Amino acid sequence: MGYLVSTEQAGYNGSWISFALGRKQWAYVADTRPSTHPIAADVPDLETARQVFDGISYAKGASVLKQLMAYAGRDAFLDASKAYFNKHAFSSTTLDDFVSCLKDSSDADLSTWVPSWLETSGPSIITTERDGDKLFVTTESVDAMTGKPVQRNHRVTVSTFARGDNGVKRTASVSVLLDKPRVEVPLPEGTAVDLAIANDEDLTYALLRFDPKSVDVLTENISSLEPTLTRAVAWSALWNMVRDAKLPAARFLEAVQNNILAEADSGILALVLGLAGEATSFFLPPKARPDAAANLIKTLSKGLAAAEPGSDQQRQWANALVREAADSPSGESPLRDLLAGKVSGLELTPTLRWRALASLAALGKTDKSELDAEYKRDSTMTGATALARAEASFPGVEVKRRVWDELTTESLTNDRQGALIAGFAQGPSSDRKEFVAPYFANLTKWWKEMTMTMATRLARGVFPGSSIEEGKLGSNAVEKAAQAWLDQNENAAKSLRRIVIEGLAGLRRQLAAQEL
């Protein structure tokens, strides 16, 4: 409801963009982990409560409400909401209270919708299929916790597009109820279909799967999709295919290289550039990363140079550049130009300067004297935290040992702990290789001796990374170490086990993607 109000009443037209491409990613990640759970989860104790208020309860919950509004009808949903708030003002309620109001205002069948959406886990998978001149949409829904098939009905907008002289143009948009595993889309006769998007308008919560022809069109022309929300849905779907090892990360980066310089929406720009960095650092095979990182720096430099001085787009290009420059030697020169004030119209805030210096530190291209000089310019608590992060970002095993010792033995503030964790993650992965065994050896000790918040941040923040260079999926050294810890610590705190389970699941996804 907050996104709806901010868009239609407050005039913030980018709200649904950030929801589709940003907020929902939190839900998709959480819902595809082994730790997923239904939205309507049983919460018998405090420890469970600490775990279930996550991307599923919040982001998936909001996504499902949006689909419910599409399924039941907008007017019926809003009428039900008004009745619900008026009837139960200043009192506690249950799910049944809202459903009862919705049944009074809508003719939609909610008897199976509520249990199939709210009492099962895992996202549906929606795929477009072509059969001659016909277009079909298939839906696969499996309860991730039980492994049993689920029939979830979806109300979606299916849109088709055709190639033209200036990218792609829309040829049809059809509202379709997906109430069977395979549904034909009732397109007007003669509709040209080079690209089909089965969740245009982002009405439902599901992972989209594009057919190969659609992937080709998007890789070349995603920037020409209109309106902006359609582009956000397409980018989100491509990224989910990368995460699920259904699309090589290199194809996603190809789409970025071909399209991102033409992106006019600052929200999409920021989010896609962040995904491009993630694809480069974690989902590409290690041998492909140096060239990909260098190409990304070139694109970021071009975008920054071309952006209107003082614009939101300029700030997004600059933020992405200072973040991604840490992963490529070619990042040093544009960082130096930025710090020297050579980017016309760009406000060099203390935060931006510190981030640039932290990336230079990760490259080994600054020193303590330059960092100390910057701290004299910004001797605030924020500056002290930024200095700690930059100093922790320097490459070298000795640096990482010092950071590790402080993280694991000292009593730290939240800010300093976060800064040290961020810096520890920078630099060559070989600098952190020796900490894999100590990580798993000390997990239960941290959990006993630290507060839950500090132990959680530490356990998540320094979970060991790896790649297929250390073994492919099923034989990777870090993967085996994490699984061994889980096997040997079945009685560890549920919250701690969940951290390791989720870290392991994320690593396995990266390894699977790297093998494509």
Side-chain angles (χ1 to χ4, degrees):
M1 295 295 284
Y3 286 93
L4 183 68
V5 171
S6 66
T7 300
E8 298 189 6
Q9 297 300 316
Y12 293 105
N13 295 325
S15 296
W16 285 125
I17 307 303
S18 62
F19 182 78
L21 189 50
R23 185 74 167 178
K24 284 179 76 171
Q25 282 300 323
W26 183 26
Y28 290 135
V29 170
D31 210 15
T32 51
R33 286 170 170 164
S35 55
T36 185
H37 57 84
I39 294 173
D42 183 34
V43 185
D45 52 49
L46 182 59
E47 185 170 11
T48 303
R50 288 186 176 122
Q51 296 183 61
V52 299
F53 291 102
D54 53 13
I56 294 170
S57 298
Y58 289 107
K60 181 180 178 180
S63 303
V64 170
L65 280 177
K66 186 178 184 182
Q67 167 56 196
L68 179 57
M69 184 166 69
Y71 181 78
R74 177 189 170 99
D75 291 343
F77 182 87
L78 294 178
D79 287 345
S81 298
K82 293 175 185 176
Y84 170 75
F85 289 126
N86 289 333
K87 184 177 181 180
H88 301 287
F90 309 109
S91 61
S92 298
T93 60
T94 66
L95 173 62
D96 289 341
D97 292 324
F98 180 71
V99 173
S100 176
C101 292
L102 191 57
K103 286 180 178 179
D104 290 340
S105 64
S106 174
D107 294 330
D109 181 8
L110 300 175
S111 60
T112 58
W113 195 96
V114 170
S116 66
W117 275 96
L118 303 183
E119 297 172 6
T120 63
S121 61
S124 298
I125 297 175
I126 294 178
T127 305
T128 52
E129 295 181 353
R130 305 165 196 253
D131 186 356
D133 294 334
K134 295 182 178 181
L135 179 67
F136 293 86
V137 177
T138 65
T139 308
E140 180 185 0
S141 303
V142 176
D143 187 338
M145 297 185 70
T146 65
K148 295 180 179 180
V150 178
Q151 177 58 48
R152 292 193 194 111
N153 292 344
H154 299 254
R155 170 65 69 179
V156 298
T157 298
V158 180
S159 294
T160 57
F161 303 81
R163 283 189 171 102
D165 294 336
N166 298 305
V168 295
K169 63 178 181 178
R170 187 182 300 264
T171 56
S173 288
V174 183
S175 179
V176 181
L177 176 62
L178 305 180
D179 57 355
K180 296 187 291 292
R182 192 170 191 256
V183 175
E184 182 178 355
V185 181
L187 294 174
E189 185 176 352
T191 300
V193 184
D194 291 324
L195 164 66
I197 298 180
N199 187 27
D200 198 11
E201 301 180 6
D202 196 38
L203 295 180
T204 198
Y205 172 81
L207 297 171
L208 297 189
R209 296 290 187 253
F210 292 120
D211 59 83
K213 185 177 181 180
S214 292
V215 170
D216 290 342
V217 173
L218 289 170
T219 301
E220 298 170 8
N221 298 293
I222 193 171
S223 61
S224 65
L225 286 174
E226 293 290 349
T228 310
L229 181 56
T230 301
R231 290 202 304 282
V233 169
W235 277 117
S236 176
L238 286 178
W239 175 247
N240 284 327
M241 290 178 70
V242 173
R243 253 193 1 99
D244 294 340
K246 302 298 182 182
L247 180 73
R251 290 301 307 276
F252 182 85
L253 291 170
E254 182 184 353
V256 173
Q257 295 288 346
N258 290 343
N259 293 277
I260 201 65
L261 290 171
E263 182 53 63
D265 185 87
S266 62
I268 289 182
L269 181 66
L271 292 164
V272 171
L273 290 177
L275 296 177
E278 193 171 344
T280 302
S281 298
F282 301 106
F283 290 86
L284 273 181
K287 291 182 179 179
R289 292 176 189 173
D291 288 344
N295 288 333
L296 183 55
I297 295 300
K298 289 180 183 178
T299 299
L300 294 172
S301 298
K302 288 180 182 178
L304 181 58
E308 181 182 349
S311 64
D312 285 345
Q313 284 84 352
Q314 186 187 53
R315 284 189 288 274
Q316 302 301 352
W317 285 111
N319 287 334
L321 176 62
V322 299
R323 180 181 64 242
E324 304 305 332
D327 294 327
S328 174
S330 63
E332 179 186 6
S333 179
L335 285 177
R336 286 299 178 190
D337 287 345
L338 185 147
L339 286 170
K342 294 182 179 180
V343 182
S344 176
L346 180 66
E347 181 183 3
L348 280 175
T349 63
T351 297
L352 189 61
R353 290 184 60 85
W354 276 118
R355 287 177 179 172
L357 287 169
S359 288
L360 286 170
L363 293 170
K365 297 300 181 180
T366 184
D367 56 28
K368 191 175 186 306
S369 62
E370 184 175 20
L371 297 182
D372 287 343
E374 187 66 27
Y375 183 55
K376 287 184 179 180
R377 294 168 52 121
D378 179 28
S379 56
T380 62
M381 284 299 297
T382 301
T385 301
L387 174 63
R389 174 177 177 170
E391 290 178 336
S393 297
F394 280 111
V397 175
E398 288 301 323
V399 173
K400 303 309 178 187
R401 285 174 181 164
R402 176 187 62 77
V403 176
W404 177 270
D405 288 344
E406 185 173 353
L407 280 170
T408 58
T409 63
E410 300 290 333
S411 178
L412 305 173
T413 64
N414 288 353
D415 286 346
R416 185 167 180 86
Q417 185 197 46
L420 294 177
I421 288 173
F424 183 79
Q426 296 296 313
S429 60
S430 57
D431 289 349
R432 296 179 293 277
K433 192 172 183 179
E434 70 175 55
F435 302 102
V436 174
Y439 173 87
F440 291 108
N442 287 283
L443 275 174
T444 54
K445 177 175 180 288
W446 299 339
W447 203 259
K448 291 177 181 178
E449 296 180 357
M450 298 181 179
T451 65
M452 177 175 280
T453 296
M454 299 298 279
T456 296
R457 286 157 55 101
L458 180 60
R460 283 181 177 158
V462 299
F463 186 92
S466 190
S467 72
I468 55 175
E469 288 186 340
E470 296 179 83
K472 293 185 178 181
L473 182 64
S475 61
N476 180 271
V478 175
E479 178 192 11
K480 292 169 70 174
Q483 187 60 60
W485 186 91
L486 289 169
D487 293 342
Q488 295 163 13
N489 291 272
E490 293 183 354
N491 295 322
K494 292 179 182 178
S495 297
L496 178 57
R497 282 183 56 84
R498 177 172 176 171
I499 291 169
V500 178
I501 288 170
E502 292 180 349
L504 176 57
L507 173 61
R508 284 173 168 161
R509 282 185 173 275
Q510 293 169 13
L511 294 174
Q514 292 168 28
E515 292 182 26
L516 292 181

